Amino acid sequence: MALPSGPDGPGLRATIQMNDYQQQDFPTAAVRHTAPTQQSRPGLRVTPAILSGASAVVVLMLFTVLFLLTRQPDKTAVPVAVATTRTAEPAPTEASPTEQATTSEPAPTGTATFTKTVDPCAVTDEDLVKKLTLFPDKSQIKAEECEWSTLAPGAGMPGNMQFRLQVYVKVFPGDLTAAHEQFLGLRQEAVLLARTSAPAEPPIGDASWTTLYTLPGDTGKGPTTATVGVRVSNAVIQVAYQRHVTEDPAGRLAKGALDVARSVAEKIGTSN
C-alpha cells in the first residue's frame, strides 16, 4: 500500500502500523450472525392506574349489592279508613231534688216552724219501741238517727222474730226549701230499691210517703223493710221498720212504721 507523501504521510503511517499491531496481538472473536426471530405478540400491561380503576369498580359493586340487600321494600299504600267521631249526645241528667220540687211537686210556702235540733231517741215513744222490737237494744251513732234492734234473750229466739227500728229526724232551721229537698231525696233513695212509693194513708204532716222492700235471695230470711218519710214544716222524719221475713202480707211492718212516724211528728210539733 503506497502512502501519501507530504506532511501527513508519517502520521498516517504510524496509525496504520498501530492498527496492524492490535489485530495481531488481540484477535477478535468471530460473531455469529443469525437471522432475526419473530418477536412474540405483546400482551396487556398491568399498570397502577388500571389496578386503582378496577378496585374502584369492585368497591362500587359491593356498595350496590349491600344497598339492594338492606333497602326496605317499598310499602304499598293501603287505604286506611278514617274513623269519624260522632259527638255523643249528652245523657239526660237526673233531676235534682230542687228540680223535682219545681216540676212534679210545688215548692212549699210559709214560714219555717222549728228552730232547734231534735234528738230522735228522745221523741220516739218507748212503749211503742218495746211493742215493735220486743227486747230493744238502743244505739245512736249519728246525732239525727236512733236505732233499736231485738236483743235475743237466749238461743231459743227464732230468726223471724228479729226486728230493727230506725228513726231519723233532722231540722233545717229557717230553711223550708232545704227540708223539702231532703224529703224528696230520701224518697228517691228508697225508690231505688222498692221501685215505687205510695202516699201515706192517712197522710202525716205536710207531706208523706211509704215504701216496702224485701231483700232478694234464697236464705228465707229476707229481710223485709217498711219505710215512711214525713215532712213537717222544715223538719224531716224517716222511719224504717225491718223484720227477718220474706214478706209482709198482713201489713204489720207498714203499720208499725206509720205508727212511729206519726208519733214522732206529733212529739216534735209539741216540743218546739
Side-chain angles (χ1 to χ4, degrees):
M1 175 177 176
L3 295 174
S5 61
D8 295 330
L12 180 60
R13 186 180 295 111
T15 302
I16 293 172
Q17 291 175 354
M18 180 63 69
N19 291 334
D20 293 339
Y21 171 78
Q22 291 176 350
Q23 291 176 0
Q24 293 174 2
D25 294 340
F26 303 97
T28 58
V31 178
R32 185 179 180 182
H33 296 281
T34 59
T37 58
Q38 186 178 359
Q39 295 181 355
S40 60
R41 186 177 180 181
L44 179 62
R45 186 177 180 182
V46 179
T47 62
I50 293 177
L51 286 175
S52 62
S55 299
V57 172
V58 172
V59 172
L60 180 60
M61 292 177 64
L62 288 175
F63 274 108
T64 303
V65 172
L66 290 175
F67 172 75
L68 293 176
L69 291 177
T70 58
R71 183 171 63 95
Q72 293 290 339
D74 295 335
K75 295 182 179 180
T76 305
V78 179
V80 179
V82 179
T84 57
T85 57
R86 181 180 179 183
T87 304
E89 298 180 359
T93 56
E94 189 175 280
S96 65
T98 303
E99 294 172 340
Q100 292 178 352
T102 57
T103 57
S104 59
E105 297 182 12
T109 58
T111 304
T113 304
F114 306 104
T115 58
K116 299 182 297 182
T117 60
V118 176
D119 182 6
C121 296
V123 295
T124 303
D125 187 87
E126 293 183 2
D127 293 336
L128 192 55
V129 170
K130 291 179 181 179
K131 176 183 177 181
L132 297 177
T133 60
L134 303 180
F135 303 96
D137 180 24
K138 185 178 76 172
S139 63
Q140 185 174 12
I141 299 176
K142 300 179 181 180
E144 62 271 12
E145 185 174 296
C146 196
E147 179 177 325
W148 295 265
S149 298
T150 300
L151 180 63
M157 180 72 71
N160 62 357
M161 297 302 291
Q162 296 292 319
F163 298 89
R164 187 175 70 173
L165 177 66
Q166 292 175 310
V167 177
Y168 170 89
V169 180
K170 186 172 180 62
V171 174
F172 296 84
D175 198 341
L176 196 62
T177 301
H180 185 61
E181 292 176 354
Q182 173 84 36
F183 170 78
L184 295 178
L186 292 175
R187 183 181 66 183
Q188 184 178 1
E189 291 179 2
V191 169
L192 288 177
L193 295 176
R195 302 298 181 186
T196 185
S197 65
E201 292 294 341
I204 305 173
D206 297 318
S208 55
W209 52 264
T210 64
T211 62
L212 185 67
Y213 170 72
T214 299
L215 183 69
D218 55 357
T219 61
K221 298 180 180 180
T224 299
T225 305
T227 307
V228 177
V230 177
R231 182 184 64 82
V232 181
S233 186
N234 58 319
V236 178
I237 303 168
Q238 179 173 276
V239 176
Y241 183 37
Q242 181 184 99
R243 183 181 180 183
H244 283 272
V245 291
T246 57
E247 58 182 354
D248 184 34
R252 295 177 180 177
L253 293 175
K255 183 178 183 304
L258 287 168
D259 289 344
V260 174
R262 184 175 293 104
S263 173
V264 171
E266 295 174 354
K267 189 73 174 286
I268 64 172
T270 58
S271 62
N272 279 268

